């Protein structure tokens, strides 16, 4: 079992696609608020009914690229409204076979970052993209996830976790929520009464590692409210560095 820093809640799932087995699961079904990881479901729902060619108009291509590579929140909000909000989550739960993913509370239907998700469900999302989705969908999504920008459009450095530990073969969709200065900070002063923790600061690293996306890594974390971003960034990176990840080539400074 990987040691988790004091005060941090973590959900971990590591899946080796070569063997078809989980390498590690720790609190893997615990529900976290998704933050920007839900953008994976948004793009999949957008593409779902565009077959068989899955053509993406130029304006949508530019918007989706910004959403996935730079975690742009305005793009996510645009598609959240266009695709029916929580209904898209329900559709993806059925299509992908997710077990712990739930739409936002009824009191906050527009807060896509309040979608509940687990580390194990994030693995299921990547397994769908890589092994079940139509080839044009897989190529479109994974191309963008393999080319993340260092900073999100809100200015936050998103190269924590997977992106700080492994090189050169990785893809990521990161998530952060609640930190001072982030795009959604303070926007919801009256948080709903929910079993899902909407108060603690959230920092998640998800993606693939190794040649041909061999291993799927999913690390979800919550930190005490008010934790400096740099502290959470370091904690998630160290937690990720401690994982056993088949096929992963570690950056020397972080490698063990």
């Amino acid at each position: 079992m990987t040691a988790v820093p004091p005060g941090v809640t973590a959900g971990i799932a590591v899946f080796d696609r070569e063997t078809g087995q989980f390498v590690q699961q720790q609190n893997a079904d615990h529900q976290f608020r998704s933050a920007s990881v839900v953008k994976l479901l948004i793009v999949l729902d957008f593409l779902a009914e565009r077959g068989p060619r899955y053509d993406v108009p130029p304006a949508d291509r530019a918007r989706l690229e910004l959403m996935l590579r730079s975690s742009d929140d305005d793009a996510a909000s645009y598609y959240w409204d266009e695709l029916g909000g929580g209904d898209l989550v329900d559709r993806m739960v059925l299509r992908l076979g997710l077990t712990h993913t739930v739409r936002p509370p009824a009191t906050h239907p527009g807060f896509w970052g309040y979608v509940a998700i687990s580390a194990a469900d994030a693995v299921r999302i990547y397994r769908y993209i890589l092994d079940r989705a139509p080839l044009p969908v897989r190529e479109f999504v994974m191309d963008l996830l393999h080319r993340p920008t260092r900073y999100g459009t809100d200015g936050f450095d998103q190269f924590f976790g997977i992106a700080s530990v492994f090189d050169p073969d990785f893809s990521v969709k990161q998530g952060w929520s609640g930190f001072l200065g982030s795009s959604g900070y303070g926007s919801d002063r009256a948080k709903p009464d929910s079993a899902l923790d909407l108060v603690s600061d959230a920092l998640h690293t998800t993606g693939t590692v190794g040649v041909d996306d061999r291993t799927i890594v999913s690390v979800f974390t919550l930190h005490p409210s008010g934790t400096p971003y740099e502290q959470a960034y370091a904690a998630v990176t160290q937690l990720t560095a401690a994982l056993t990840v088949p096929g992963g080539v570690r950056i020397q400074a972080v490698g063990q």
Side-chain angles (χ1 to χ4, degrees):
M1 181 174 291
T2 301
V4 177
V8 175
T9 299
I12 299 168
V14 181
F15 183 83
D16 184 352
R17 295 176 60 234
E18 187 170 293
T19 64
Q21 300 292 325
F22 279 96
V23 177
Q24 187 168 350
Q25 294 188 83
Q26 188 169 324
N27 214 18
D29 288 330
H30 183 85
Q31 287 181 313
F32 295 79
R33 71 181 187 276
S34 67
S36 289
V37 177
V38 75
K39 291 167 184 174
L40 294 172
L41 298 183
I42 292 174
V43 68
L44 290 175
D45 192 71
F46 171 83
L47 293 169
E49 303 303 326
R50 305 189 74 87
R53 295 181 59 182
Y54 296 95
D55 291 330
V56 179
D60 288 303
R61 182 176 294 273
R63 192 179 286 117
L64 291 168
E65 177 170 348
L66 201 61
M67 184 180 78
L68 292 186
R69 295 187 63 215
S70 303
S71 206
D72 186 72
D73 289 346
D74 289 341
S77 295
Y78 172 84
Y79 288 112
W80 183 260
D81 292 338
E82 286 288 306
L83 298 171
D87 289 346
L88 79 85
V89 177
D90 296 343
R91 290 191 293 268
M92 289 296 100
V93 165
L94 291 175
R95 182 182 291 265
L96 277 60
L98 307 180
T99 60
H100 289 80
T101 297
V102 182
R103 61 164 61 203
T107 55
H108 288 63
F111 283 69
W112 44 260
Y114 285 1
V115 168
I117 195 170
S118 68
D121 267 359
V123 168
R124 293 182 180 98
I125 294 170
Y126 282 99
R127 291 186 69 187
Y128 171 82
I129 295 169
L130 292 164
D131 299 323
R132 293 168 48 204
L135 180 61
V137 173
R138 177 164 69 251
E139 290 180 338
F140 180 83
V141 175
M142 293 308 299
D143 171 65
L144 297 177
L145 298 184
H146 276 287
R147 297 187 294 115
T149 59
R150 178 69 190 245
Y151 296 92
T153 53
D154 63 359
F156 274 63
D157 183 346
Q158 62 170 346
F159 267 34
F160 54 87
I162 294 168
S164 280
V165 175
F166 300 101
D167 187 66
D169 295 306
F170 70 83
S171 70
V172 288
K173 184 66 211 80
Q174 314 282 56
W176 56 94
S177 173
F179 295 96
L180 179 64
S182 62
S183 60
Y185 180 78
S187 62
D188 181 20
R189 294 180 175 83
K191 295 185 184 295
D193 183 14
S194 171
L196 189 68
D197 187 336
L198 303 174
V199 176
S200 299
D201 297 338
L203 196 64
H204 314 318
T205 184
T206 76
T208 63
V209 174
V211 176
D212 296 327
D213 302 297
R214 173 174 172 174
T215 300
I216 300 168
V217 177
S218 175
V219 179
F220 284 70
T221 65
L222 292 174
H223 307 254
S225 182
T227 298
Y229 185 73
E230 296 78 8
Q231 180 179 327
Y233 185 114
V236 172
T237 298
Q238 290 303 313
L239 187 57
T240 305
L243 302 177
T244 299
V245 180
V249 177
R250 295 170 185 267
I251 296 173
Q252 192 63 36
V254 182
Q256 298 180 329

